[in-house]
Amino acid sequence: MTNDTADRTTGATERRREQHGWYFYDFACSVYSTSVLTVFLGPYLTSVAKAAADAEGFVHPLGIPIRAGSVFAYAVSISVVLAVLVMPLAGAAADRTGRKKPLLAAAAYVGATATAGMFFLDGERYLLGAFLLIVANASLSVSMVLYNAYLPQIAEPDERDTVSSRGWAFGYTSGALVLVLDLVLYSGHDSFSLSEGEAVRICLASAGLWWGAFTLVPLRRLRDRQTAPSGEGAVGSGWRQLLATLRDMRRHPLTLSFLLAYLIYNDGVQTVISQASIYGSEELDLDQTTLITAVLLVQVLAVVGALGMGRLARTHGAKRTILASLAVWTLILAAGYFLPAGAPLWFFALAGAIGLVLGGSQALSRSLFSHLVPRGKEAEYFSAYEMSDRGLSWLGPLVFGLAYQLTGSYRDAIISLVVFFALGFVLLARVPVRRAVAAAGNPVPERI
């Protein structure tokens, strides 16, 4: 074996070791997204806020009257705004110093600690719950920016799709596994000598412990790379890089048009996912066991839907397939508005429909955007895309919370989200994607 061959073999072995560690961060943190944000925290925090509410159903943080049922939605919105402020700073600090791992550890363990602290969320402590949600949700977003920044370093260009997909699969696997354990604990809480509230608090806290424990794997296997020293501070370079990327996008208005459409309809997608459990528990009178089962169904069918929509895209093109998915999302919200209370089978049917379009609409959006990025600017454009995906989905929860605040009806709140899918559909339909690909200097695929 020659020295070059030995070096390549050693490099490939080390790269695989890092990849295996990288997968486990998705395995660690996805439990927060499924168990905490999607299933348990919304209904439970709402019940805590209602316990603290006055006779008219309002709580008064800082003297501001807020309907108790809007607290969760507002907290999610605030957490995303906080993440928008912090993500460029963390990304710039990582680029400037080359020390992503300590920053990833800090973001992960702040989030995991806040999540574990939800065990103490009882009585009328809705402000504690809102604060822990804001910290945990913002920490997750910051950690994902740092986590994704490792991908170009640990995977060759021709293997990045596979590595990224495996990380995604690890996340869905852990989410489903922990939800099954949560279902056992919650549905059998009497046999464990626990109250319903205690069972929920254990499920919330255990997600934080899971997040923290499995984060040790990537922290042991990932390594930092040396970078050229820069005299620029993280604050200045972070915001300057983001503004420079946005200015450059003005030279590619069709790419910017697609990103705007994505911003809007993805905001709707993220809001439906985060607020569905509140709608199911508060408006449809469904128990927590039903909600857990529905989210498990979404987890499984999201994989099936992503593969199925990928096949449709090969035949009909990504743009048409995404547009069709947005039409289905609109129908889902309309069906949800008329869904009868106390009918779990209909709710399962709706969850199945969400699962079938969830994975595919997001996966195809990412792949379509990749064709619209000018060559040589992939990293900075996908940084802006990640900000869009993780950092700007605050308007939907705000609209949902305001709709409930003004009407007192979760049905009005859920149907208000139709505007995101309708407007996103119109904006995406107006983007001439073939011309956009050519304008970015990329070869135009036969089907797009």
Side-chain angles (χ1 to χ4, degrees), residues 190-258:
D190 286 335
S191 61
F192 293 105
S193 301
L194 297 170
S195 68
E196 183 177 325
E198 288 171 337
V200 170
R201 286 160 50 208
I202 290 173
C203 290
L204 292 171
S206 63
L209 296 177
W210 180 285
W211 185 357
F214 283 101
T215 295
L216 291 172
V217 179
L219 292 181
R220 284 182 61 86
R221 293 200 169 191
L222 292 172
R223 62 185 179 86
D224 286 328
R225 274 75 173 171
Q226 292 291 331
T227 61
S230 169
E232 210 172 10
V235 175
S237 61
W239 287 107
R240 267 193 282 276
Q241 179 62 63
L242 181 60
L243 292 174
T245 302
L246 293 176
R247 279 196 299 269
D248 187 72
M249 280 187 177
R250 292 169 58 186
R251 300 193 300 111
H252 301 280
L254 298 181
T255 300
L256 193 57
S257 296
F258 170 81

Side-chain angles (χ1 to χ4, degrees), residues 39 57 59 84 178 214 229 271 286 337 375 379 424 440:
V39 177
V59 291
V84 168
V178 173
F214 283 101
T271 306
L286 300 175
Y337 179 82
R375 190 167 301 175

Side-chain angles (χ1 to χ4, degrees), residues 309-318 320-321 447:
M309 287 180 64
R311 288 180 176 272
L312 287 174
R314 287 196 292 272
T315 304
H316 302 286
R320 289 182 179 178
T321 307
R447 295 280 184 186

Side-chain angles (χ1 to χ4, degrees), residues 28-78:
C29 70
S30 291
V31 172
Y32 168 83
S33 299
T34 51
S35 292
V36 177
L37 194 63
T38 305
V39 177
F40 286 108
L41 188 57
Y44 187 69
L45 180 57
T46 301
S47 69
V48 172
K50 286 185 173 180
D54 58 22
E56 285 75 37
F58 287 84
V59 291
H60 300 268
L62 303 177
I64 303 170
I66 294 177
R67 199 179 289 271
S70 296
V71 168
F72 176 72
Y74 288 157
V76 171
S77 187
I78 293 170

Side-chain angles (χ1 to χ4, degrees), residues 30-41 43 171-180 182-183 272-278 280 286-303 344 347-352 354-356 358:
S30 291
V31 172
Y32 168 83
S33 299
T34 51
S35 292
V36 177
L37 194 63
T38 305
V39 177
F40 286 108
L41 188 57
Y172 271 96
T173 300
S174 72
L177 173 62
V178 173
L179 274 180
V180 169
D182 289 340
L183 181 60
V272 171
I273 297 306
S274 67
Q275 305 302 320
S277 59
I278 283 190
L286 300 175
D287 59 35
Q288 203 77 352
T289 300
T290 300
L291 297 178
I292 297 171
T293 307
V295 173
L296 273 171
L297 185 62
V298 171
Q299 296 283 105
V300 172
L301 291 181
V303 178
F347 190 72
F348 289 148
L350 209 62
I354 289 175
L356 289 174
L358 173 63

